[in-house]
Amino acid sequence: MAECIFCRIVRGEISCDKVYDTGQVVAFKDRNPKAPVHVLVVPRQHIETINDLPRHPELAAEILNAIASVARACGIAESGFRVIGNANRDGGQEVPHVHFHLLGGRQLGAMVSDAS
Ligand code: AMP
């Protein structure tokens, strides 16, 4: 996946503001933050969507552990945070490399305003 932007970031070919790295999972600040804390939690392995994650249960557990660790490290574990994983077209996934948005540092609005 030579051209995948997140593959290039985790390989160090594109710079990022890294906040966490377990070897298998990397977390870095989103370049277009939607909250005072907006971190992307990304596995090194190129997996396209959340649909594919159940085939990698150990990695899925490590991602969840990374999310909790980053929330603690960023000081939002107790104040609260939101985790968003966009998948495919209707989910608004722009980068086809599985990732989770960790948002916090302010009161976040209602999650869904229109259920239609
Ligand atoms: P999604 O819509 O869930 O695929 O989200 C992709 C996210 O990646 C967006 O919030 C972008 O702002 C973020 N993003 C894209 N390129 C970079 C980059 N080079 N460094 C940091 N964040 C990025």
Side-chain angles (χ1 to χ4, degrees):
M1 278 298 151
E3 297 310 316
C4 169
I5 189 163
F6 285 177
C7 284
R8 297 191 66 199
I9 286 174
V10 299
R11 285 201 300 265
E13 294 169 12
I14 294 176
S15 66
C16 71
D17 197 344
K18 194 189 285 189
V19 297
Y20 189 81
D21 190 344
T22 67
Q24 297 300 318
V25 179
V26 176
F28 52 90
K29 293 184 182 175
D30 195 295
R31 71 175 173 189
N32 184 20
K34 302 289 194 299
V37 175
H38 186 170
V39 172
L40 300 172
V41 179
V42 180
R44 274 209 152 73
Q45 185 176 348
H46 183 85
I47 296 168
E48 287 204 354
T49 77
I50 293 171
N51 294 327
D52 308 307
L53 257 191
R55 287 202 293 274
H56 307 273
E58 288 178 11
L59 185 57
E62 192 163 333
I63 291 169
L64 197 54
N65 186 51
I67 289 169
S69 297
V70 173
R72 268 198 310 278
C74 292
I76 58 171
E78 301 308 322
S79 54
F81 57 87
R82 182 171 293 163
V83 179
I84 297 174
N86 297 323
N88 285 335
R89 182 197 60 217
D90 285 357
Q93 183 177 5
E94 290 171 15
V95 179
H97 181 133
V98 76
H99 56 280
F100 293 88
H101 299 251
L102 172 64
L103 298 146
R106 67 169 167 80
Q107 175 71 60
L108 298 164
M111 197 168 64
V112 175
S113 58
D114 181 0
S116 63

